[in-house]
Amino acid sequence: MLKGKIAMVTGAGRGIGKAIALKLADLGASIALNYRTHNEDIDKLAKEIEDKNVKVLLVQGDVSDFNQCSDMIKKVNNELGRIDILVNNAGITKDGLLMRMKEEDFDKVIDINLKGTFNCIKHVTPIMMKQREGRIINLSSVIGLVGNAGQANYAASKAGIIGLTKSVAKEIGSRGVTVNAIAPGFIKTDMTEVLSDKVKASIQDNIPLRRLGEAEDVAELVAFLSSDKAGYITGQVINVDGGMVM
Ligand code: NAP
């Protein structure tokens, strides 16, 4: 389905980003893996992807840094020849009630989640517009749609991603580039591992499908949105949440 395509996934070292990278590689895409912190897991992932007979490129960098994003995207384009798919997945949480939230915790979450998404979009769009083809997929969250006590910074960043997605979709649709957002619910990764069993159980009770999501549930939608089959879908926010928000 994606044979010969070149995809870049940010924050690909673990969790949802890793599942996305593996899924796109399974479908035949070569993968640029962005990671921030180097550890042996990223080398293992690169090897696993290489074994699927596609190319893999490691690009280290912090997505919140505008110039590092420029360098990373130049490197991917130079070494892999083009960029067909950009998945803006890198993200963090720094939770706390507004009354106690420090300014730096608000700024950090906005810088990585929202500005990081802008940075990568900004540098990849000239390439995709020249190709007259491209897919940009941004990881938002259901929290960006409905808010959450203790996550004002995160909710603002994820709601911002939705506005960014729709605006850029309107700007570059005529050049053959689609821009969509995915809003996952609660997915089992390091990000949600910090929640107590009691909290997880109460979340699960409020999910119609009665389970937390797997990273692979999100990766399946990324694969579809990356494919030719999704060529007439742009500017959309699609939930992968077991029916939690409807
Ligand atoms: P995760 O397991 O915590 O992984 C986050 C990834 O982002 C890590 O690989 C991390 O790299 C990377 N990252 C963080 N800051 C970065 C930066 N400045 N530059 C480059 N990479 C950076 O999170 P996840 O659950 O897989 O979440 C992935 C995305 O889905 C996030 O955008 C998240 O907000 C969104 N999402 C998740 C859920 C959920 O329930 N899990 C729900 C809705 C939305 P390091 O290893 O170097 O830290």
Side-chain angles (χ1 to χ4, degrees):
M1 201 157 96
L2 299 176
K3 204 164 188 319
K5 303 277 186 197
I6 309 294
M8 173 169 171
V9 183
T10 68
R14 57 195 165 96
I16 296 172
K18 179 180 174 183
I20 292 169
L22 286 168
K23 181 70 195 174
L24 299 185
D26 276 339
L27 296 173
S30 291
I31 314 287
L33 296 169
N34 158 255
Y35 64 99
R36 179 179 57 169
T37 317
H38 188 266
N39 57 44
E40 59 185 27
D41 291 349
I42 194 80
D43 295 327
K44 263 198 227 151
L45 177 63
K47 175 83 181 65
E48 200 179 335
I49 289 177
E50 222 165 35
D51 289 345
K52 296 178 191 290
N53 289 322
V54 296
K55 287 187 203 151
V56 61
L57 181 70
L58 288 173
V59 275
Q60 183 169 22
D62 180 338
V63 294
S64 67
D65 185 308
F66 190 75
N67 295 325
Q68 285 187 38
C69 286
S70 169
D71 292 345
M72 288 193 284
I73 283 167
K74 268 190 209 140
K75 182 175 169 182
V76 177
N77 197 38
N78 290 341
E79 296 195 23
L80 298 179
R82 53 190 284 126
I83 305 179
D84 299 293
I85 302 155
L86 167 69
V87 185
N88 284 304
N89 165 79
I92 61 160
T93 50
K94 281 199 179 289
D95 298 349
L97 293 171
L98 184 77
M99 294 291 282
R100 278 187 237 128
M101 187 175 286
K102 294 193 198 106
E103 184 188 4
E104 61 257 36
D105 289 344
F106 186 86
D107 289 347
K108 192 83 190 156
V109 170
I110 297 291
D111 280 353
I112 293 178
N113 297 6
L114 179 55
K115 177 85 185 320
T117 301
F118 165 79
N119 288 342
C120 292
I121 290 178
K122 173 80 182 156
H123 296 299
V124 91
T125 41
I127 295 167
M128 289 183 171
M129 283 165 72
K130 207 166 153 212
Q131 291 170 178
R132 295 204 150 265
E133 197 180 6
R135 296 274 191 269
I136 298 174
I137 299 158
N138 302 320
L139 269 291
S140 177
S141 166
V142 292
I143 303 303
L145 294 168
V146 297
N148 195 21
Q151 289 198 302
N153 49 1
Y154 185 75
S157 73
K158 294 298 182 180
I161 286 174
I162 292 172
L164 177 63
T165 300
K166 293 184 181 201
S167 303
V168 181
K170 287 185 177 179
E171 287 184 25
I172 62 176
S174 63
R175 307 297 187 94
V177 183
T178 67
V179 192
N180 290 291
I182 296 179
F186 280 86
I187 309 295
K188 280 190 255 166
T189 66
D190 293 348
M191 191 174 268
T192 46
E193 192 49 41
V194 291
L195 301 172
S196 70
D197 287 346
K198 199 173 153 209
V199 171
K200 280 187 203 155
S202 102
I203 290 168
Q204 196 161 310
D205 284 347
N206 288 307
I207 298 174
L209 293 182
R210 291 290 185 274
R211 66 170 176 91
L212 302 189
E214 303 290 338
E216 290 71 20
D217 292 320
V218 180
E220 289 293 342
L221 179 58
V222 174
F224 172 67
L225 289 174
S226 301
S227 74
D228 290 345
K229 293 178 183 173
Y232 201 53
I233 300 174
T234 197
Q236 303 306 306
V237 185
I238 305 175
N239 295 11
V240 180
D241 65 352
M244 201 176 123
V245 172
M246 55 172 94

